[in-house]
């Protein structure tokens, strides 16, 4: 969450060295380590955000069964555009597709801002999804499609999909995508519109009987906070991404100059 936390002398030395290098495996690995270490550097505001997310999740739990029952039945809209579109928006390949589109445009038009967005989408999606998968396994909540009891939990398992309900991976991915897009939008209206597809993703996962309402709250929070963390990291003075092509390897552009294009 907070990317301004003090870093060790070794980390600072590595960052100074990377400022003159192309964005590649070395910098990605360094930033991944920073992401993994973030909880050890959280301050009071960060823990308040974590507490608020947990509180909202528990507050939603009494409504899980009622909301699920209200959305089930003949499912006449199961294959409608908003429902299917919401699910697809939250698929892992959507982030790859959108990132690839920005990367391709950036390469053709030599638009450094588009290349930056491409890298940040991939990075935010990867971090958010990885974190969510770990939580799914640890929590072990049973999906509504497999039980009528929203309080069913199971010891951690890697093999049983039905016990990996919380948080929703689709919603995490959708909010990571929307957050990065929103951060790079140039008007308040577009910043708000960027989250509408993620809202459809949240509803579609409940409507298609894959998640409880309270699964969606931590998922949205993870996607939102991770997306912001990635953008904030690269907009800070200590971290630079250098881009000259659509690929992370072979890049030579400093993000400090991103606003010039």
């Amino acid at each position: 969450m907070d990317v301004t936390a003090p870093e060790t002398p070794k980390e600072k030395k590595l960052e100074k060295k990377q400022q003159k290098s192309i964005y590649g495996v070395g910098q990605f690995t360094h930033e991944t380590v920073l992401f993994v270490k973030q909880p050890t550097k959280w301050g009071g505001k960060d823990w308040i955000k974590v507490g608020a997310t947990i509180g909202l999740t528990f507050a939603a739990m009494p409504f899980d069964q009622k909301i699920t029952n209200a959305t089930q039945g003949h499912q006449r809209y199961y294959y409608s555009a908003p429902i299917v579109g919401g699910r697809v928006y939250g698929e892992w390949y959507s982030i790859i597709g959108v990132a690839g589109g920005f990367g391709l445009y950036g390469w053709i038009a030599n638009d450094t801002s588009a290349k930056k967005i491409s890298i940040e989408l991939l990075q935010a999606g990867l971090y958010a999804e990885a974190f969510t998968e770990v939580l799914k396994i640890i929590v072990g909540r049973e999906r509504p499609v497999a039980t009528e009891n929203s309080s069913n939990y199971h010891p951690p398992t890697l093999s049983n999909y039905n016990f990996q309900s919380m948080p929703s991976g689709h919603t995490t991915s959708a909010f990571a995508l929307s957050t990065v897009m929103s951060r790079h939008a140039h008007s308040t209206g577009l910043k708000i519109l960027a989250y509408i597809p993620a809202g459809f993703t949240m509803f579609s996962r409940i409507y298609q009987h894959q998640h409880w309402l309270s699964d969606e709250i931590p998922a949205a929070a993870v996607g939102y906070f991770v997306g912001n963390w990635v953008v904030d990291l690269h907009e800070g003075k200590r971290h630079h991404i250098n881009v000259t092509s659509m690929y992370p390897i072979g890049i030579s552009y400093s993000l400090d100059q991103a606003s010039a294009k």
Side-chain angles (χ1 to χ4, degrees):
M1 296 181 185
D2 181 9
V3 300
T4 63
E7 296 179 22
T8 65
K10 183 178 180 180
E11 289 173 338
K12 292 181 179 180
K13 183 178 180 180
L14 179 59
E15 288 167 5
K16 288 182 179 179
K17 180 180 179 181
Q18 289 173 339
Q19 287 178 11
K20 299 179 181 179
S21 304
I22 59 174
Y23 184 87
V25 175
Q27 183 169 345
F28 173 79
T29 301
H30 172 60
E31 292 177 353
T32 300
V33 171
L34 291 180
F35 176 75
V36 173
K37 292 167 64 176
Q38 273 304 296
T40 66
K41 299 181 179 181
W42 286 349
K45 292 182 179 180
D46 297 318
W47 287 111
I48 288 175
K49 294 174 183 177
V50 172
T53 300
I54 294 174
L56 286 172
T57 299
F58 276 99
M61 285 183 173
F63 303 98
D64 281 336
Q65 197 63 60
K66 293 180 180 179
I67 296 296
T68 293
N69 292 342
T71 60
Q72 302 309 298
H74 296 295
Q75 299 297 88
R76 59 184 295 187
Y77 300 111
Y78 195 92
Y79 294 108
S80 65
I83 299 300
V84 174
R87 177 190 62 78
V88 170
Y89 187 77
E91 295 283 359
W92 60 268
Y93 52 74
S94 292
I95 281 189
I96 293 177
V98 175
F102 273 101
L104 181 60
Y105 172 78
W107 177 59
I108 294 174
N110 194 28
D111 188 322
T112 52
S113 179
K115 298 170 192 174
K116 171 192 175 186
I117 294 172
S118 176
I119 292 172
E120 291 180 341
L121 284 171
L122 292 173
Q123 199 168 3
L126 178 61
Y127 292 167
E129 278 290 333
F131 186 71
T132 294
E133 288 303 314
V134 172
L135 287 181
K136 280 176 175 287
I137 294 169
I138 293 174
V139 175
R141 192 181 198 185
E142 192 167 7
R143 293 177 183 271
V145 71
T147 181
E148 294 183 356
N149 186 351
S150 62
S151 298
N152 276 0
Y153 294 85
H154 190 276
T157 176
L158 295 172
S159 58
N160 196 330
Y161 171 83
N162 286 330
F163 286 102
Q164 297 177 0
S165 185
M166 177 184 278
S168 165
H170 282 72
T171 298
T172 296
S173 182
F175 270 82
L177 171 54
S178 287
T179 297
V180 174
M181 296 294 290
S182 177
R183 285 292 302 272
H184 289 287
H186 298 298
S187 70
T188 301
L190 288 176
K191 289 180 181 296
I192 295 173
L193 286 174
Y195 284 101
I196 291 179
F200 280 111
T201 300
M202 292 182 73
F203 181 74
S204 73
R205 301 312 287 159
I206 297 173
Y207 187 81
Q208 293 189 327
H209 215 198
Q210 293 299 314
H211 289 284
W212 307 98
L213 171 64
S214 57
D215 294 340
E216 303 298 324
I217 295 172
V222 170
Y224 174 80
F225 288 129
V226 172
N228 275 302
W229 185 87
V230 169
V231 176
D232 287 341
L233 181 72
H234 296 146
E235 290 187 349
K237 294 181 179 180
R238 295 185 306 195
H239 291 264
H240 301 270
I241 290 182
N242 298 311
V243 284
T244 55
S245 73
M246 63 178 288
Y247 301 105
I249 305 300
I251 290 186
S252 66
Y253 177 78
S254 170
L255 290 192
D256 288 347
Q257 303 170 25
S259 61
K261 178 75 175 181

